[in-house]
Coordinates of all heavy atoms in Angstrom, one line a residue:
M1 N -59.1 -13.4 -15.9 CA -59.1 -12.2 -16.7 C -58.2 -11.2 -16.0 O -57.4 -10.5 -16.7 CB -60.5 -11.7 -16.9 CG -60.6 -10.8 -18.0 SD -60.2 -11.5 -19.7 CE -60.2 -10.0 -20.7
R2 N -58.3 -11.1 -14.7 CA -57.5 -10.1 -14.0 C -56.0 -10.5 -14.0 O -55.1 -9.6 -14.2 CB -58.1 -10.0 -12.6 CG -58.3 -8.6 -12.2 CD -58.6 -8.4 -10.7 NE -58.9 -7.1 -10.4 CZ -59.3 -6.7 -9.2 NH1 -59.4 -7.6 -8.2 NH2 -59.5 -5.4 -8.9
L3 N -55.9 -11.8 -13.9 CA -54.5 -12.3 -13.9 C -53.8 -12.0 -15.2 O -52.6 -11.6 -15.2 CB -54.5 -13.8 -13.6 CG -53.2 -14.4 -13.3 CD1 -52.8 -14.3 -11.9 CD2 -53.2 -15.9 -13.7
L4 N -54.6 -12.2 -16.3 CA -54.0 -11.9 -17.6 C -53.6 -10.4 -17.7 O -52.6 -10.1 -18.4 CB -55.1 -12.3 -18.6 CG -54.5 -12.8 -19.9 CD1 -54.2 -14.3 -19.7 CD2 -55.5 -12.6 -21.1
M5 N -54.4 -9.6 -17.1 CA -54.2 -8.2 -17.2 C -52.8 -7.8 -16.5 O -52.0 -7.1 -17.0 CB -55.3 -7.4 -16.5 CG -55.4 -5.9 -17.0 SD -56.6 -5.0 -16.1 CE -55.7 -4.6 -14.7
W6 N -52.7 -8.4 -15.4 CA -51.4 -8.2 -14.6 C -50.2 -8.8 -15.3 O -49.1 -8.2 -15.3 CB -51.6 -8.8 -13.2 CG -52.4 -8.0 -12.3 CD1 -53.6 -8.3 -11.8 CD2 -52.0 -6.6 -11.7 NE1 -54.0 -7.2 -11.0 CE2 -53.1 -6.2 -10.9 CE3 -50.9 -5.8 -11.9 CZ2 -53.0 -5.0 -10.3 CZ3 -50.8 -4.6 -11.3 CH2 -51.9 -4.2 -10.5
L7 N -50.5 -9.9 -15.9 CA -49.4 -10.6 -16.7 C -48.9 -9.6 -17.8 O -47.7 -9.4 -18.1 CB -49.8 -11.9 -17.2 CG -48.8 -13.0 -17.3 CD1 -48.6 -13.7 -16.0 CD2 -49.1 -13.9 -18.5
G8 N -49.9 -9.1 -18.5 CA -49.7 -8.2 -19.6 C -48.9 -7.0 -19.2 O -48.0 -6.5 -19.8
L9 N -49.3 -6.4 -18.0 CA -48.7 -5.3 -17.4 C -47.2 -5.6 -17.1 O -46.3 -4.8 -17.4 CB -49.4 -4.8 -16.2 CG -49.2 -3.4 -15.8 CD1 -50.1 -2.4 -16.7 CD2 -49.5 -3.1 -14.3
A10 N -47.0 -6.7 -16.5 CA -45.7 -7.2 -16.2 C -44.8 -7.2 -17.3 O -43.6 -6.8 -17.4 CB -45.7 -8.6 -15.4
V11 N -45.3 -7.8 -18.4 CA -44.5 -8.0 -19.7 C -44.2 -6.6 -20.2 O -43.1 -6.3 -20.7 CB -45.3 -8.8 -20.7 CG1 -44.7 -8.7 -22.1 CG2 -45.4 -10.2 -20.3
L12 N -45.2 -5.7 -20.1 CA -45.0 -4.3 -20.6 C -43.9 -3.6 -19.9 O -43.0 -3.0 -20.4 CB -46.3 -3.5 -20.5 CG -46.6 -2.6 -21.7 CD1 -47.5 -3.3 -22.6 CD2 -47.3 -1.3 -21.2
V13 N -44.0 -3.8 -18.5 CA -42.9 -3.2 -17.6 C -41.6 -3.7 -17.9 O -40.6 -3.0 -18.0 CB -43.3 -3.3 -16.2 CG1 -42.2 -3.0 -15.3 CG2 -44.6 -2.4 -15.8
Y14 N -41.5 -5.1 -18.1 CA -40.3 -5.8 -18.4 C -39.7 -5.2 -19.7 O -38.5 -4.9 -19.7 CB -40.6 -7.3 -18.6 CG -39.4 -8.1 -19.0 CD1 -38.4 -8.3 -18.2 CD2 -39.4 -8.6 -20.4 CE1 -37.3 -9.1 -18.7 CE2 -38.3 -9.3 -20.8 CZ -37.3 -9.6 -20.0 OH -36.2 -10.3 -20.4
F15 N -40.5 -5.0 -20.7 CA -39.9 -4.6 -21.9 C -39.5 -3.1 -21.8 O -38.5 -2.7 -22.4 CB -40.9 -4.7 -23.1 CG -40.9 -6.1 -23.7 CD1 -41.8 -7.1 -23.5 CD2 -39.8 -6.4 -24.5 CE1 -41.7 -8.3 -24.0 CE2 -39.7 -7.7 -25.1 CZ -40.7 -8.6 -24.9
A16 N -40.3 -2.3 -21.1 CA -39.9 -0.9 -20.9 C -38.6 -0.8 -20.1 O -37.8 0.0 -20.5 CB -41.0 -0.2 -20.1
V17 N -38.4 -1.6 -19.1 CA -37.2 -1.5 -18.3 C -36.0 -2.0 -19.2 O -35.0 -1.4 -19.2 CB -37.3 -2.4 -17.1 CG1 -35.9 -2.7 -16.5 CG2 -38.3 -1.8 -16.1
R18 N -36.2 -3.0 -20.0 CA -35.2 -3.5 -20.9 C -34.8 -2.4 -21.9 O -33.6 -2.3 -22.3 CB -35.7 -4.7 -21.6 CG -34.7 -5.9 -21.4 CD -35.2 -7.2 -22.0 NE -35.1 -7.2 -23.4 CZ -34.9 -8.3 -24.2 NH1 -34.8 -9.4 -23.6 NH2 -34.8 -8.2 -25.5
K19 N -35.8 -1.8 -22.4 CA -35.5 -0.7 -23.5 C -34.7 0.4 -22.8 O -33.7 0.9 -23.4 CB -36.9 -0.2 -24.0 CG -36.8 0.2 -25.4 CD -38.2 0.6 -25.9 CE -38.1 1.2 -27.3 NZ -39.4 1.6 -27.7
S20 N -35.1 0.9 -21.6 CA -34.4 2.0 -21.0 C -33.0 1.5 -20.6 O -32.1 2.3 -20.6 CB -35.2 2.5 -19.8 OG -35.3 1.4 -18.8
F21 N -32.9 0.2 -20.2 CA -31.6 -0.3 -19.8 C -30.6 -0.3 -21.0 O -29.5 0.1 -20.9 CB -31.8 -1.7 -19.3 CG -30.6 -2.2 -18.5 CD1 -30.5 -1.7 -17.2 CD2 -29.7 -3.1 -19.0 CE1 -29.4 -2.1 -16.4 CE2 -28.7 -3.6 -18.2 CZ -28.5 -3.1 -16.9
R22 N -31.1 -0.6 -22.2 CA -30.4 -0.6 -23.4 C -30.0 0.8 -23.8 O -28.9 1.1 -24.3 CB -31.2 -1.2 -24.5 CG -30.9 -2.7 -24.8 CD -31.4 -3.1 -26.1 NE -31.3 -4.5 -26.3 CZ -31.7 -5.2 -27.4 NH1 -32.3 -4.5 -28.3 NH2 -31.6 -6.4 -27.5
A23 N -30.9 1.8 -23.6 CA -30.6 3.2 -23.9 C -29.5 3.7 -23.1 O -28.7 4.6 -23.6 CB -31.9 4.0 -23.7
N24 N -29.4 3.3 -21.9 CA -28.4 3.8 -21.0 C -27.0 3.2 -21.4 O -26.0 3.8 -21.1 CB -28.7 3.5 -19.5 CG -29.8 4.3 -19.0 OD1 -30.1 5.4 -19.6 ND2 -30.6 3.9 -18.0
Q25 N -27.0 1.9 -21.8 CA -25.8 1.2 -22.1 C -25.4 1.5 -23.6 O -26.3 1.5 -24.4 CB -25.9 -0.3 -21.8 CG -25.8 -0.5 -20.3 CD -25.7 -2.0 -20.1 OE1 -26.2 -2.8 -20.8 NE2 -24.9 -2.4 -19.1
P26 N -24.1 1.5 -23.9 CA -23.8 1.8 -25.3 C -23.5 0.6 -26.2 O -22.9 0.8 -27.2 CB -22.5 2.6 -25.1 CG -21.9 2.1 -23.8 CD -23.1 1.6 -22.9
P27 N -23.8 -0.6 -25.8 CA -23.4 -1.7 -26.7 C -24.0 -1.7 -28.1 O -23.4 -2.1 -29.1 CB -23.9 -3.0 -25.9 CG -24.9 -2.5 -25.0 CD -24.4 -1.1 -24.6
S28 N -25.2 -1.1 -28.2 CA -25.9 -1.1 -29.5 C -25.2 -0.2 -30.5 O -25.2 -0.5 -31.7 CB -27.3 -0.7 -29.3 OG -27.3 0.6 -28.6
N29 N -24.6 0.9 -30.0 CA -23.9 1.8 -30.9 C -22.4 1.8 -30.7 O -21.7 2.8 -30.8 CB -24.5 3.2 -30.8 CG -24.4 3.8 -29.4 OD1 -24.0 3.1 -28.5 ND2 -24.6 5.0 -29.3
Q30 N -21.9 0.7 -30.2 CA -20.4 0.6 -29.9 C -19.6 0.7 -31.2 O -18.7 1.4 -31.3 CB -20.2 -0.7 -29.2 CG -18.8 -0.8 -28.6 CD -18.6 -2.1 -27.7 OE1 -19.0 -3.1 -28.2 NE2 -18.0 -2.0 -26.6
A31 N -20.0 -0.1 -32.2 CA -19.3 -0.1 -33.5 C -19.3 1.4 -34.1 O -18.4 1.9 -34.7 CB -20.0 -1.0 -34.5
Q32 N -20.5 2.0 -33.9 CA -20.6 3.4 -34.5 C -19.7 4.4 -33.8 O -19.0 5.1 -34.5 CB -22.1 3.8 -34.3 CG -22.4 5.0 -35.2 CD -23.8 5.6 -34.8 OE1 -24.4 5.0 -34.0 NE2 -24.2 6.6 -35.5
T33 N -19.6 4.3 -32.5 CA -18.8 5.2 -31.8 C -17.3 4.9 -32.0 O -16.4 5.8 -32.1 CB -19.0 5.1 -30.2 OG1 -19.1 3.7 -29.9 CG2 -20.3 5.8 -29.8
E34 N -17.0 3.6 -32.2 CA -15.6 3.2 -32.5 C -15.2 3.9 -33.8 O -14.1 4.3 -34.0 CB -15.5 1.7 -32.6 CG -14.4 1.2 -31.6 CD -14.5 -0.3 -31.5 OE1 -15.2 -0.9 -30.8 OE2 -13.7 -1.0 -32.3
E35 N -16.1 3.8 -34.8 CA -15.8 4.3 -36.1 C -15.6 5.8 -36.0 O -14.7 6.4 -36.6 CB -16.9 4.0 -37.1 CG -16.6 2.8 -37.9 CD -17.7 2.5 -38.9 OE1 -18.8 3.2 -38.9 OE2 -17.5 1.5 -39.6
T36 N -16.5 6.5 -35.3 CA -16.4 7.9 -35.2 C -15.2 8.4 -34.4 O -14.6 9.4 -34.7 CB -17.7 8.6 -34.7 OG1 -18.0 7.9 -33.5 CG2 -18.9 8.5 -35.6
A37 N -14.9 7.6 -33.4 CA -13.8 8.0 -32.5 C -12.5 8.0 -33.3 O -11.7 8.8 -33.0 CB -13.7 6.9 -31.3
W38 N -12.3 7.1 -34.2 CA -11.1 7.1 -35.0 C -11.2 7.9 -36.2 O -10.4 7.8 -37.1 CB -10.7 5.6 -35.2 CG -10.4 4.9 -34.0 CD1 -11.2 3.9 -33.4 CD2 -9.4 5.1 -33.0 NE1 -10.7 3.5 -32.2 CE2 -9.6 4.2 -32.0 CE3 -8.3 5.9 -33.0 CZ2 -8.6 4.1 -30.9 CZ3 -7.3 5.9 -31.9 CH2 -7.6 5.0 -30.9
G39 N -12.3 8.6 -36.3 CA -12.5 9.4 -37.6 C -11.8 10.8 -37.5 O -10.5 10.8 -37.1
D40 N -12.4 11.9 -37.7 CA -11.8 13.2 -37.8 C -11.5 13.7 -36.4 O -10.6 14.4 -36.2 CB -12.6 14.2 -38.6 CG -14.0 13.7 -38.9 OD1 -14.7 13.4 -37.9 OD2 -14.4 13.7 -40.1
N41 N -12.4 13.4 -35.4 CA -12.1 13.9 -34.0 C -11.7 12.7 -33.2 O -12.4 12.1 -32.5 CB -13.4 14.6 -33.4 CG -14.6 13.7 -33.6 OD1 -14.6 12.8 -34.4 ND2 -15.6 14.1 -32.9
T42 N -10.3 12.4 -33.3 CA -9.8 11.2 -32.7 C -9.9 11.3 -31.1 O -10.3 10.3 -30.5 CB -8.3 11.1 -33.1 OG1 -8.3 11.3 -34.5 CG2 -7.8 9.7 -32.7
F43 N -9.5 12.4 -30.6 CA -9.6 12.5 -29.0 C -10.4 13.7 -28.7 O -9.9 14.8 -28.4 CB -8.2 12.7 -28.4 CG -7.4 11.4 -28.7 CD1 -6.4 11.4 -29.7 CD2 -7.5 10.3 -27.9 CE1 -5.6 10.2 -29.9 CE2 -6.7 9.1 -28.1 CZ -5.8 9.1 -29.1
P44 N -11.8 13.4 -28.7 CA -12.7 14.6 -28.4 C -12.6 15.1 -27.0 O -12.8 16.3 -26.7 CB -14.1 14.1 -28.7 CG -13.9 12.6 -28.7 CD -12.5 12.2 -28.9
Q45 N -12.4 14.2 -26.0 CA -12.4 14.7 -24.6 C -11.0 14.6 -24.0 O -10.8 14.2 -22.9 CB -13.3 13.9 -23.8 CG -14.7 14.5 -23.7 CD -15.8 13.6 -24.3 OE1 -15.6 12.3 -24.2 NE2 -16.8 14.2 -24.9
S46 N -10.0 15.0 -24.8 CA -8.6 14.8 -24.3 C -8.1 16.2 -23.7 O -6.9 16.4 -23.5 CB -7.7 14.4 -25.5 OG -7.6 15.4 -26.4
S47 N -9.0 17.1 -23.4 CA -8.5 18.4 -22.9 C -8.0 18.2 -21.5 O -8.7 17.7 -20.6 CB -9.7 19.3 -22.8 OG -10.8 18.7 -22.1
G48 N -6.8 18.5 -21.2 CA -6.1 18.3 -20.0 C -5.4 17.0 -19.8 O -4.3 16.9 -19.3
S49 N -6.1 15.9 -20.3 CA -5.5 14.6 -20.1 C -4.4 14.5 -21.1 O -4.4 15.0 -22.2 CB -6.5 13.5 -20.3 OG -7.0 13.6 -21.6
K50 N -3.4 13.6 -20.8 CA -2.3 13.4 -21.6 C -2.7 12.6 -22.8 O -3.4 11.6 -22.7 CB -1.1 12.6 -20.8 CG 0.2 12.9 -21.4 CD 1.3 12.2 -20.5 CE 2.6 12.1 -21.2 NZ 3.5 11.2 -20.6
R51 N -2.1 12.9 -24.0 CA -2.4 12.1 -25.2 C -1.7 10.8 -25.1 O -0.7 10.6 -24.5 CB -1.9 12.9 -26.4 CG -3.0 13.4 -27.2 CD -2.4 14.0 -28.6 NE -2.3 12.9 -29.6 CZ -2.9 13.1 -30.7 NH1 -3.6 14.2 -31.0 NH2 -2.9 12.1 -31.6
V52 N -2.5 9.8 -25.6 CA -1.9 8.4 -25.5 C -0.8 8.4 -26.5 O -0.9 8.6 -27.7 CB -3.0 7.4 -25.9 CG1 -2.4 6.0 -25.9 CG2 -4.2 7.5 -25.0
E53 N 0.4 7.9 -26.0 CA 1.6 7.8 -26.8 C 1.8 6.4 -27.4 O 1.4 5.5 -26.8 CB 2.8 8.3 -26.1 CG 3.6 9.4 -26.7 CD 4.8 9.7 -25.8 OE1 4.6 10.0 -24.7 OE2 5.9 9.7 -26.4
A54 N 2.3 6.4 -28.6 CA 2.6 5.0 -29.2 C 3.7 4.4 -28.4 O 4.7 5.1 -28.1 CB 3.0 5.2 -30.6
M55 N 3.6 3.1 -28.1 CA 4.6 2.4 -27.4 C 5.5 1.6 -28.4 O 5.0 1.0 -29.2 CB 4.0 1.4 -26.4 CG 3.3 2.2 -25.3 SD 4.3 3.3 -24.3 CE 5.0 2.2 -23.2
L56 N 6.8 1.7 -28.2 CA 7.7 0.9 -29.0 C 8.4 -0.1 -28.3 O 8.6 0.0 -27.0 CB 8.7 2.0 -29.7 CG 8.1 3.0 -30.7 CD1 9.2 4.0 -31.0 CD2 7.6 2.3 -31.9
N57 N 9.0 -1.0 -29.0 CA 9.7 -2.2 -28.4 C 11.2 -2.0 -28.7 O 11.6 -1.9 -29.8 CB 9.1 -3.5 -29.1 CG 9.6 -4.7 -28.3 OD1 10.3 -5.5 -28.8 ND2 9.2 -4.8 -27.1
C58 N 12.0 -2.0 -27.6 CA 13.4 -1.9 -27.8 C 14.0 -3.1 -28.6 O 13.7 -4.2 -28.1 CB 14.1 -1.7 -26.5 SG 15.9 -1.6 -26.5
A59 N 14.8 -2.8 -29.6 CA 15.3 -3.9 -30.3 C 16.4 -4.7 -29.6 O 16.8 -5.8 -30.0 CB 15.9 -3.4 -31.7
Y60 N 16.9 -4.1 -28.5 CA 18.0 -4.7 -27.8 C 17.5 -5.5 -26.6 O 17.7 -6.6 -26.4 CB 19.0 -3.6 -27.4 CG 20.2 -4.2 -26.7 CD1 21.2 -4.8 -27.4 CD2 20.4 -4.1 -25.3 CE1 22.4 -5.3 -26.8 CE2 21.5 -4.5 -24.7 CZ 22.5 -5.2 -25.4 OH 23.6 -5.7 -24.8
C61 N 16.7 -4.8 -25.7 CA 16.3 -5.4 -24.4 C 14.8 -5.8 -24.4 O 14.3 -6.3 -23.5 CB 16.6 -4.5 -23.2 SG 15.6 -3.0 -23.2
Q62 N 14.1 -5.5 -25.6 CA 12.6 -5.8 -25.7 C 11.7 -5.1 -24.8 O 10.6 -5.4 -24.6 CB 12.4 -7.3 -25.6 CG 13.3 -8.1 -26.5 CD 13.3 -7.9 -27.9 OE1 12.2 -7.7 -28.5 NE2 14.4 -7.7 -28.6
V63 N 12.2 -4.1 -24.1 CA 11.4 -3.3 -23.1 C 10.5 -2.3 -23.9 O 10.9 -1.8 -25.0 CB 12.3 -2.7 -22.1 CG1 12.4 -1.1 -22.3 CG2 11.8 -3.0 -20.7
Y64 N 9.3 -2.0 -23.4 CA 8.4 -1.1 -24.0 C 8.7 0.3 -23.5 O 8.8 0.5 -22.3 CB 7.0 -1.5 -23.9 CG 6.6 -2.6 -24.8 CD1 6.6 -3.9 -24.4 CD2 6.2 -2.3 -26.1 CE1 6.3 -5.0 -25.3 CE2 5.8 -3.4 -26.9 CZ 5.9 -4.7 -26.6 OH 5.5 -5.6 -27.4
F65 N 8.6 1.3 -24.4 CA 8.9 2.7 -24.0 C 8.1 3.6 -24.9 O 7.8 3.2 -26.1 CB 10.4 3.0 -24.0 CG 11.0 2.7 -25.4 CD1 11.2 3.8 -26.3 CD2 11.4 1.5 -25.7 CE1 11.7 3.5 -27.5 CE2 12.0 1.2 -27.0 CZ 12.1 2.3 -27.9
P66 N 7.8 4.8 -24.5 CA 7.0 5.8 -25.4 C 7.9 6.2 -26.5 O 9.1 6.4 -26.4 CB 6.7 7.0 -24.4 CG 7.6 6.8 -23.3 CD 7.9 5.3 -23.1
S67 N 7.2 6.4 -27.7 CA 7.9 6.7 -28.9 C 8.7 7.9 -28.9 O 9.7 8.1 -29.6 CB 7.0 6.8 -30.1 OG 6.0 7.8 -29.8
S68 N 8.3 8.9 -28.0 CA 9.0 10.1 -27.8 C 10.5 10.0 -27.3 O 11.3 10.8 -27.5 CB 8.3 11.1 -27.0 OG 8.2 10.6 -25.7
E69 N 10.7 8.8 -26.6 CA 12.0 8.5 -26.0 C 12.8 7.6 -26.8 O 13.9 7.2 -26.4 CB 11.8 8.0 -24.6 CG 11.3 8.9 -23.6 CD 10.9 8.2 -22.3 OE1 11.5 7.3 -21.9 OE2 10.0 8.8 -21.6
A70 N 12.3 7.3 -28.1 CA 13.0 6.4 -28.9 C 14.4 6.9 -29.4 O 14.5 8.1 -29.7 CB 12.1 6.0 -30.1
V71 N 15.4 6.0 -29.4 CA 16.7 6.3 -30.0 C 16.8 5.5 -31.3 O 16.8 4.2 -31.2 CB 17.8 6.0 -29.0 CG1 19.2 6.2 -29.7 CG2 17.7 6.7 -27.7
L72 N 16.9 6.2 -32.4 CA 16.9 5.5 -33.7 C 18.3 5.2 -34.1 O 19.2 6.1 -34.1 CB 16.1 6.3 -34.8 CG 14.6 6.4 -34.6 CD1 14.1 7.5 -35.4 CD2 13.9 5.1 -34.9
R73 N 18.5 4.0 -34.5 CA 19.8 3.6 -35.0 C 19.7 2.4 -36.0 O 19.1 1.4 -35.6 CB 20.7 3.1 -33.8 CG 22.2 3.0 -34.1 CD 22.9 4.4 -34.2 NE 22.7 5.3 -33.1 CZ 23.6 5.4 -32.1 NH1 24.7 4.7 -32.0 NH2 23.4 6.3 -31.1
D74 N 20.2 2.5 -37.2 CA 20.1 1.4 -38.2 C 18.6 1.0 -38.4 O 18.3 -0.1 -38.5 CB 20.9 0.2 -37.8 CG 22.4 0.5 -37.8 OD1 22.8 1.5 -38.5 OD2 23.2 -0.3 -37.3
S75 N 17.8 2.0 -38.6 CA 16.3 1.8 -38.8 C 15.7 1.0 -37.7 O 14.7 0.3 -37.9 CB 16.0 1.2 -40.2 OG 16.5 0.0 -40.3
Q76 N 16.3 1.0 -36.5 CA 15.7 0.2 -35.4 C 15.5 1.2 -34.2 O 16.3 2.1 -34.1 CB 16.6 -0.9 -35.0 CG 16.6 -2.1 -35.9 CD 17.4 -3.2 -35.4 OE1 18.6 -3.1 -35.1 NE2 16.8 -4.4 -35.2
Q77 N 14.6 0.9 -33.3 CA 14.3 1.7 -32.2 C 14.8 1.1 -30.9 O 14.7 -0.1 -30.7 CB 12.8 1.9 -32.0 CG 12.2 2.7 -33.1 CD 11.3 2.0 -34.0 OE1 11.1 0.8 -33.8 NE2 10.7 2.6 -35.1
F78 N 15.4 1.9 -30.1 CA 16.0 1.5 -28.8 C 15.5 2.4 -27.7 O 15.1 3.5 -27.9 CB 17.5 1.5 -28.9 CG 18.1 0.7 -30.0 CD1 18.4 1.1 -31.2 CD2 18.3 -0.7 -29.7 CE1 18.8 0.4 -32.2 CE2 18.9 -1.5 -30.7 CZ 19.1 -0.9 -32.0
C79 N 15.5 1.8 -26.5 CA 15.0 2.6 -25.4 C 15.9 3.6 -24.9 O 15.6 4.6 -24.2 CB 14.6 1.6 -24.2 SG 16.0 0.8 -23.5
C80 N 17.2 3.4 -25.2 CA 18.2 4.4 -24.7 C 19.4 4.3 -25.7 O 19.6 3.4 -26.4 CB 18.6 4.1 -23.3 SG 19.3 2.4 -23.0
A81 N 20.3 5.3 -25.6 CA 21.4 5.3 -26.4 C 22.5 4.2 -26.1 O 23.1 3.7 -27.0 CB 22.2 6.7 -26.2
E82 N 22.5 3.7 -24.9 CA 23.4 2.7 -24.5 C 23.1 1.4 -25.3 O 23.9 0.7 -25.8 CB 23.3 2.4 -23.0 CG 24.0 3.4 -22.1 CD 23.2 4.7 -21.9 OE1 22.0 4.6 -22.0 OE2 23.9 5.7 -21.8
H83 N 21.7 1.1 -25.3 CA 21.3 -0.1 -26.0 C 21.5 0.0 -27.5 O 21.8 -0.9 -28.2 CB 19.9 -0.4 -25.7 CG 19.7 -0.9 -24.3 ND1 18.5 -1.3 -23.8 CD2 20.6 -1.3 -23.4 CE1 18.7 -1.7 -22.5 NE2 19.9 -1.7 -22.3
A84 N 21.3 1.2 -28.1 CA 21.6 1.5 -29.5 C 23.0 1.3 -29.8 O 23.4 0.6 -30.8 CB 21.2 2.9 -29.9
E85 N 23.9 1.7 -28.9 CA 25.4 1.5 -29.1 C 25.7 0.0 -29.0 O 26.4 -0.5 -29.8 CB 26.1 2.2 -28.0 CG 26.1 3.7 -28.1 CD 27.0 4.2 -29.3 OE1 28.0 3.7 -29.5 OE2 26.5 5.2 -29.9
A86 N 25.1 -0.7 -28.0 CA 25.4 -2.0 -27.7 C 25.0 -2.9 -28.9 O 25.7 -3.8 -29.3 CB 24.8 -2.5 -26.5
A87 N 23.8 -2.6 -29.5 CA 23.3 -3.4 -30.6 C 24.1 -3.2 -31.8 O 24.3 -4.1 -32.6 CB 21.8 -3.0 -30.8
T88 N 24.5 -2.0 -32.1 CA 25.3 -1.7 -33.3 C 26.7 -2.2 -33.2 O 27.3 -2.6 -34.2 CB 25.3 -0.2 -33.6 OG1 25.6 0.5 -32.5 CG2 23.9 0.2 -34.2
K89 N 27.3 -2.2 -32.0 CA 28.6 -2.7 -31.7 C 28.7 -4.2 -31.9 O 29.7 -4.7 -32.4 CB 29.1 -2.3 -30.3 CG 29.9 -1.0 -30.3 CD 30.3 -0.7 -28.9 CE 30.8 0.8 -28.8 NZ 30.9 1.2 -27.4
S90 N 27.7 -4.9 -31.6 CA 27.7 -6.4 -31.5 C 27.7 -6.9 -33.0 O 28.0 -8.0 -33.2 CB 26.5 -6.9 -30.8 OG 25.3 -6.6 -31.4
H91 N 27.3 -6.0 -34.0 CA 27.3 -6.5 -35.3 C 28.7 -6.8 -35.8 O 29.6 -5.9 -35.9 CB 26.7 -5.4 -36.3 CG 25.2 -5.4 -36.1 ND1 24.4 -5.0 -37.2 CD2 24.4 -5.8 -35.2 CE1 23.1 -5.1 -36.8 NE2 23.1 -5.6 -35.6
Ligands
ZN1 ZN1 16.7 -1.3 -24.4

């Protein structure tokens, strides 16, 4: 009878620990946070930190570069003016 009591207590503790462990970790509401993160407040904690920039692929050398440095030529993006020139000249 005593053993059963201890066993019950152990199970209770086990579930309590598991519950608190789940509460600390965010997997249960991961989908929810993902949805809200891309909702109206896209970057809630971006104060001070640099905004994530979209990366583009150079049509000439295939190198990745931030969209702010893009050189547009013939509706294509290039990493620099030299590659834009080279790509349009080769046509
Ligand atoms: Zn390039």
Side-chain angles (χ1 to χ4, degrees):
M1 198 63 187
R2 232 190 182 174
L3 190 86
L4 214 83
M5 202 187 82
W6 281 112
L7 211 87
L9 201 80
V11 168
L12 220 95
V13 167
Y14 172 74
F15 275 107
V17 167
R18 233 175 77 149
K19 212 173 172 185
S20 64
F21 200 72
R22 262 197 189 178
N24 290 338
Q25 279 190 330
S28 51
N29 57 353
Q30 198 173 37
Q32 196 188 0
T33 47
E34 233 173 275
E35 262 182 358
T36 49
W38 298 109
D40 13 56
N41 49 348
T42 313
F43 294 102
Q45 267 121 32
S46 65
S47 54
S49 63
K50 205 179 162 190
R51 250 187 91 121
V52 180
E53 233 178 308
M55 296 301 278
L56 295 169
N57 192 244
C58 178
Y60 186 76
C61 68
Q62 310 302 314
V63 108
Y64 282 94
F65 57 94
S67 58
S68 61
E69 291 170 29
V71 177
L72 292 165
R73 194 74 55 95
D74 289 346
S75 70
Q76 282 184 306
Q77 292 111 1
F78 300 92
C79 66
C80 56
E82 283 82 28
H83 286 175
E85 289 287 322
T88 46
K89 264 180 192 169
S90 66
H91 280 207

